[in-house]
């Protein structure tokens, strides 16, 4: 049985599929990553961009949201905005995105009852909407490797709190593979492998090695690096 863009329909039975969930990426902004100290910051950026790309590959609806962009938090990371060039994040003043009507309306509009959620910081921007979304009948999966907090204690306590409330901790890679589910699904195979080779370190190098050394495929070609020209007026 096939569905969107010829993709096979996956069995659910408690699992995530591209058709039963919505992704929410909350407050991945400059000031918020500055204050994160429990995980490697570059790793958080890398994993968040990876799941963003995977969401595009599998046509999973994505809700982007930012808080106090101009007065405190700064813009959403340009690496993330590049994955969704035509989508404006929902701007909020509330720390808890579930207090924001526009955010909740966007989730409801997706028609999905499973939310795959990540944000900065875990103890507020993740924990608060997760607990209230579960209260309102949603099932929440927290992308832990796309989250971070001001300390390991803060992050760990937040994860304990959301798990006790009923949330399921997942990672960006596990979620993408759950959406793929079967390597015989060729419609998304190459795109998934591209994300793996670009974002997932040793796994990606292993895939490249197998492609080239075992199967005789040509080496992967990434876009040629172009040195950026100086921006007029950017340096004052």
């Amino acid at each position: 049985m096939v569905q969107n863009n010829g993709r096979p329909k996956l069995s659910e039975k408690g699992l995530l599929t591209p058709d039963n969930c919505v992704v929410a990426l909350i407050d991945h902004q400059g000031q918020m990553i500055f204050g994160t100290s429990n995980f490697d910051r570059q790793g958080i950026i890398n994993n968040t961009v990876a799941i963003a790309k995977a969401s595009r590959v599998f046509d999973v609806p994505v809700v982007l949201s930012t808080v106090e962009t101009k007065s405190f938090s700064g813009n959403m990371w340009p690496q993330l905005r590049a994955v969704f060039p035509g989508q404006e994040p929902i701007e909020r003043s509330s720390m808890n995105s579930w207090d924001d009507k526009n955010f909740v309306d966007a989730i409801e509009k997706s028609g999905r009852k499973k939310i795959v959620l990540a944000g900065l910081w875990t103890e507020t921007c993740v924990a608060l909407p997760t607990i209230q979304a579960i209260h309102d009948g949603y099932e929440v999966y927290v992308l832990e490797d796309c989250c971070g907090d001001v300390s390991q204690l803060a992050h760990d306590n937040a994860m304990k709190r959301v798990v006790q409330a009923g949330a399921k901790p997942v990672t960006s890679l596990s979620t993408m593979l759950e959406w793929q589910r079967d390597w015989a699904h060729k419609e998304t195979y190459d795109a998934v492998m591209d994300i793996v080779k670009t974002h997932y370190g040793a796994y990606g190098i292993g895939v490249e090695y197998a492609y080239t050394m075992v199967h005789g495929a040509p080496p992967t070609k990434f876009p040629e690096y172009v040195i950026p020209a100086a921006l007029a007026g950017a340096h004052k």
Side-chain angles (χ1 to χ4, degrees):
M1 190 174 188
V2 295
Q3 51 193 17
N4 297 335
N5 296 328
R7 287 187 288 103
K9 184 171 179 59
L10 303 179
S11 64
E12 295 192 31
K13 298 181 181 178
L15 297 182
L16 294 168
T17 78
D19 302 293
N20 69 9
C21 63
V22 56
V23 171
L25 301 177
I26 302 169
D27 302 350
H28 290 98
Q29 298 166 260
Q31 186 66 255
M32 308 309 292
I33 198 73
F34 292 161
T36 298
S37 64
N38 66 306
F39 290 153
D40 172 63
R41 296 179 184 91
Q42 185 58 45
I44 295 172
I45 295 171
N46 174 73
N47 297 329
T48 305
V49 172
I51 196 63
K53 289 180 178 180
S55 301
R56 289 279 310 274
V57 169
F58 289 97
D59 297 315
V60 178
V62 176
V63 176
L64 305 175
S65 190
T66 48
V67 65
E68 293 294 328
T69 296
K70 299 300 182 183
S71 62
F72 178 76
S73 300
N75 297 319
M76 179 168 278
W77 308 330
Q79 300 97 317
L80 192 53
R81 292 300 303 274
V83 183
F84 307 104
Q87 183 173 348
E88 288 298 318
I90 296 168
E91 178 71 7
R92 314 180 327 275
S93 62
S94 60
M95 288 181 282
N96 176 13
S97 56
W98 213 252
D99 284 336
D100 187 275
K101 183 179 185 302
N102 292 328
F103 181 89
V104 176
D105 285 350
I107 296 292
E108 290 178 349
K109 186 178 179 181
S110 74
R112 314 292 176 87
K113 296 301 289 184
K114 297 177 186 283
I115 306 172
V116 180
L117 184 149
L120 301 176
W121 298 318
T122 323
E123 61 186 342
T124 48
C125 305
V126 171
L128 304 187
T130 293
I131 291 167
Q132 291 198 319
I134 291 171
H135 181 273
D136 286 347
Y138 288 86
E139 191 174 342
V140 181
Y141 296 74
V142 176
L143 290 157
E144 188 168 1
D145 62 340
C146 303
C147 302
D149 216 319
V150 297
S151 69
Q152 192 65 53
L153 176 64
H155 174 81
D156 289 346
N157 280 349
M159 290 304 300
K160 290 175 185 175
R161 187 179 182 191
V162 298
V163 168
Q164 288 168 356
K168 286 87 169 171
V170 293
T171 66
S172 56
L173 179 59
S174 74
T175 300
M176 180 175 71
L177 297 182
E178 198 164 334
W179 289 339
Q180 175 67 28
R181 199 82 64 84
D182 189 332
W183 295 124
H185 297 163
K186 299 303 182 184
E187 301 80 8
T188 49
Y189 180 93
D190 290 334
V192 166
M193 286 297 100
D194 177 72
I195 294 172
V196 166
K197 287 185 282 187
T198 303
H199 293 282
Y200 288 114
Y203 181 19
I205 295 299
V207 168
E208 179 71 9
Y209 182 89
Y211 271 33
T212 57
M213 305 304 292
V214 178
H215 301 292
T220 299
K221 287 188 176 181
F222 286 94
E224 181 180 346
Y225 177 67
V226 177
I227 299 175
L231 298 175
H235 308 289
K236 298 180 182 178

